[in-house]
Each structure stands twice: as structure tokens, then as C-alpha cells.
Amino acid sequence: MTIVDAKRDQHASSDQSTSGDLGEFGSVLAQDFRTLVALSSDIIWETNVEGTLTSVSGRFREHQNIDVRAQIGWELIEASKNKRIQNAVEAKRPFRDYSVEVEIDGQVLFLRLSGLPRYSEDGDFLGYRGVGVDITDDTRRRQAFAELAEQNRYLVSAIEASPLCITIADARQKDLPLIYINPAFTKLTGYRLAEVYGRNCRFLQGPETEPEAVAALHHAIENRASVEVDLTNYHKDGSEFMSRVSLAPVFGTDGQLQAYIGHQRNRSDELAVEATERLQSRLISLGELASGIAHEINNLLQPAMMGPDLLARRIPQDDERAHRIVERLKVSTTRARDVLHAI
């Protein structure tokens, strides 16, 4: 038995079970499925044996302003011009997430199609049933950026080579999703473009991120203003780094907000150097203070240094105890002077 035969028998068995065994419950399921199809914002489609479109969900038509009735009888598989889909259909194999460019009702759309072959209760091939996801906006944004990159090759090269982490977020979409990061961003954070595309940059934040810095960013975004803050971010491996983040809005020729350009740099090493310099400065100041104090004390010690010799001359030679006390006083003042000189 071939894979196609096995798939055909599987689908035929499933259809028979649904229609024959489930009875009224099967009818309810079918009705629920039709409701889901009607509500889906994606394309739920079905073709006949020849690959001609026989059914397509109406919700997509409303969203894209496309007349679904005009598409009945349209050869979806042939119009996709996707050889991988056409080869899968010829072999009656499933296909999944193949991107295609098609023209529907005078509009060029980019779709991501997935489909499964369907069979009758007798195992006869009936055509395909599948889903199509509209990726037109995303594809056009990518194309626009590629065209911009081609027109500004030197600028793009400079951005790519910049040691600063540079990001671009789409301000036309909800929650400012990232649409570009340069290699410096990947080097610093550990995240690649595929991992961050379409996400808000807040994924870099964590438990120790300063709320006041985040609030400053939100305030600037709400007011379409530029801002620069220092805040704690996190590498992909979970380790912290201190980042200086700058954010600036970009407006189109029509005055509409188009994007936010952000750049950040790792300040962890810089802050460590600054802390070391501050410590060194404090030690120098402390040394200067200690030196000044030592000088003053040394001046005060001068009379004490001369005292033992003066006292020794006045003490009788046979008063050994007094001479021992004067000698200890001389030794102590000498040690005190040596300590102060060391300071």
C-alpha cells in the first residue's frame, strides 16, 4: 500500500465514522465547524479534483474587500505558481505553510497555504481542503525595507557595522513590534532577528529593571517624543547588563508616525570603570586628609619629642625609676613620629 492509498483510506474511514456513527452529534459538529469557518479571519478553502476552487470562507472576503463569489471556479493551485504545492497536489500529498503570491479580484495578495487531500466514503479523491493565512502586510513591509536598503546601501552598511545596538520598531502596528535589529544587538543580547521579529523590546526587561526608567520610556512613546534612559536589561542567558537606551520617533512625509529607532549600548564595563575611578578619588582624598592631619599632629609632637631630653638632665643620676619612665616616654614619642611620617 502506498502513502497515498493509506491517506485515502484514513480519510474515507474518518468520513464514514463521522457520518455513520456520530449521527446527530456528527451533524452538530458539522454545524459548529461551518460556524468556525464563517467566523475565521483566515481563508478556509476547498477545491475539486481539477483544483478548481469550490468553496472559500466569507469572513476573509469582508476583511479584504474581496468578492468571494467571483473566486468560485478559480484554479487556486495553478494560480499559486508554487511548484512545491503543485508537486504535492499531483502526488496527492498534504502540504503545509507554503508562501505564495496570487492576484484575487484585482488585488495582489501574499498567502501562506496549507492543505490536505480529501476523499469520499469509497476512497475516491475529491480534491483539497485547507487554510490560507494572509501575510500580505508583513510581506510588503519586508519588501519595502529591502527596497529602502537597496536605495540606501551605504546607510544600511553603516547601521549593520555600527558597534551600537540599533533597532527599528513599527509604530503603525500595535505594541511597537520590532522589524529590524543590527548584528551589534545580537552580539550584546544573544537574540537573533528570527527570535525577536514582531515582539516588543520589553522582553529584555526583568525583575531588576528600574520602573522609573520604564515609565520614562512609556511617557515618551505616548507623547511621540525622544528619550534616553539607563536601565537594567537581560541577556538571552538571563544575566544582567546596564544599558543606556535612546529612543526617537520617525515621521513620514504626511506627518504620521511610522517607526521608532532605538539604540543602546552596554554601560556595565563603563560603570565599573566609573566606580573604580570614584574609589580611587576617594582614596586620594582620604590620603590627602590623613597627610594633613599627620602634619598637624607632627607639629604638636615636637615639644613632646624634646621633653624627655630636658627632663633627663634635671633628674638625679641615681633616680633609675625616673630615668626609665623618661626613656619610655622618649621611645613612645619617637614611634608616634615614625607612624605619622609613614602616613
Side-chain angles (χ1 to χ4, degrees):
M1 176 182 291
T2 65
I3 295 178
V4 173
D5 293 332
K7 288 290 184 181
R8 179 189 60 202
D9 293 345
Q10 177 184 349
H11 281 271
S13 174
S14 175
D15 291 342
Q16 290 170 352
S17 173
T18 300
S19 60
D21 298 335
L22 294 180
E24 183 178 349
F25 182 62
S27 299
V28 173
L29 286 179
Q31 180 60 42
D32 288 344
F33 176 74
R34 285 193 292 271
T35 301
L36 289 175
V37 169
L39 294 175
S40 175
S41 58
D42 294 330
I43 307 173
I44 309 299
W45 54 269
E46 193 172 274
T47 68
N48 58 18
V49 176
E50 290 76 23
T52 301
L53 198 64
T54 57
S55 177
V56 65
S57 56
R59 187 76 172 177
F60 177 81
R61 172 200 59 190
E62 296 171 5
H63 176 65
Q64 292 290 351
N65 194 28
I66 292 174
D67 184 1
V68 66
R69 292 169 300 178
Q71 310 316 316
I72 302 302
W74 183 62
E75 294 185 358
L76 174 65
I77 305 302
E78 182 66 26
S80 72
K81 299 178 182 178
N82 186 304
K83 289 298 183 183
R84 293 193 299 170
I85 292 181
Q86 294 173 1
N87 291 338
V89 170
E90 289 177 4
K92 297 183 176 60
R93 290 186 287 103
F95 57 89
R96 182 181 180 86
D97 291 339
Y98 286 177
S99 297
V100 300
E101 176 184 349
V102 297
E103 183 175 341
I104 302 178
D105 221 19
Q107 298 184 44
V108 175
L109 300 179
F110 296 90
L111 307 174
R112 187 164 57 240
L113 296 180
S114 300
L116 286 171
R118 57 191 184 92
Y119 296 89
S120 69
E121 295 181 2
D122 297 328
D124 297 326
F125 176 67
L126 299 177
Y128 269 79
R129 179 182 294 128
V131 61
V133 180
D134 181 20
I135 57 172
T136 303
D137 291 343
D138 183 59
T139 302
R140 284 175 176 163
R141 276 193 296 271
R142 290 174 180 268
Q143 291 177 341
F145 187 80
E147 292 173 2
L148 180 64
E150 179 61 26
Q151 296 169 4
N152 300 274
R153 291 193 303 273
Y154 297 115
L155 176 60
V156 172
S157 296
I159 292 174
E160 289 281 301
S162 173
L164 288 176
C165 299
I166 297 176
T167 61
I168 300 177
D170 191 346
R172 298 167 299 179
Q173 296 191 69
K174 183 180 179 181
D175 206 29
L176 298 178
L178 290 174
I179 58 174
Y180 172 79
I181 61 172
N182 71 339
F185 182 94
T186 299
K187 182 178 180 181
L188 172 62
T189 67
Y191 290 97
R192 295 176 291 105
L193 177 60
E195 297 174 287
V196 306
Y197 186 87
R199 300 173 63 186
N200 184 284
C201 210
R202 72 172 65 90
F203 64 82
L204 291 176
Q205 299 171 16
E208 299 301 321
T209 300
E210 298 76 6
E212 57 275 12
V214 175
L217 289 171
H218 289 170
H219 182 267
I221 291 171
E222 289 174 1
N223 291 276
R224 300 184 174 188
S226 299
V227 66
E228 183 176 82
V229 297
D230 288 343
L231 79 165
T232 301
N233 275 334
Y234 289 78
H235 298 104
K236 184 179 179 180
D237 63 10
S239 59
E240 298 178 8
F241 68 98
M242 179 58 69
S243 177
R244 172 158 291 176
V245 177
S246 298
L247 201 62
V250 177
F251 297 92
T253 55
D254 57 357
Q256 296 297 312
L257 181 63
Q258 299 293 314
Y260 270 95
I261 294 182
H263 67 79
Q264 61 178 303
R265 58 187 176 89
N266 186 358
R267 294 201 66 218
S268 298
D269 294 339
E270 180 182 331
L271 292 175
V273 171
E274 290 177 0
T276 301
E277 291 175 349
R278 286 195 298 270
L279 178 60
Q280 290 175 342
S281 178
R282 290 175 183 173
L283 291 175
I284 291 173
S285 298
L286 181 61
E288 292 175 348
L289 176 62
S291 179
I293 294 174
H295 179 71
E296 294 298 327
I297 296 177
N298 187 62
N299 291 337
L300 296 174
L301 276 176
Q302 291 306 315
M305 292 291 298
M306 296 185 295
D309 292 334
L310 294 175
L311 289 173
R313 294 173 189 168
R314 294 177 178 275
I315 297 173
Q317 292 294 327
D318 57 351
D319 193 346
E320 295 182 359
R321 182 173 178 275
H323 278 288
R324 285 198 299 273
I325 293 173
V326 170
E327 184 61 28
R328 284 200 294 271
L329 179 60
K330 184 177 182 178
V331 170
S332 296
T333 54
T334 301
R335 287 179 177 174
R337 181 198 62 191
D338 292 342
V339 170
L340 289 172
H341 286 172
I343 295 176

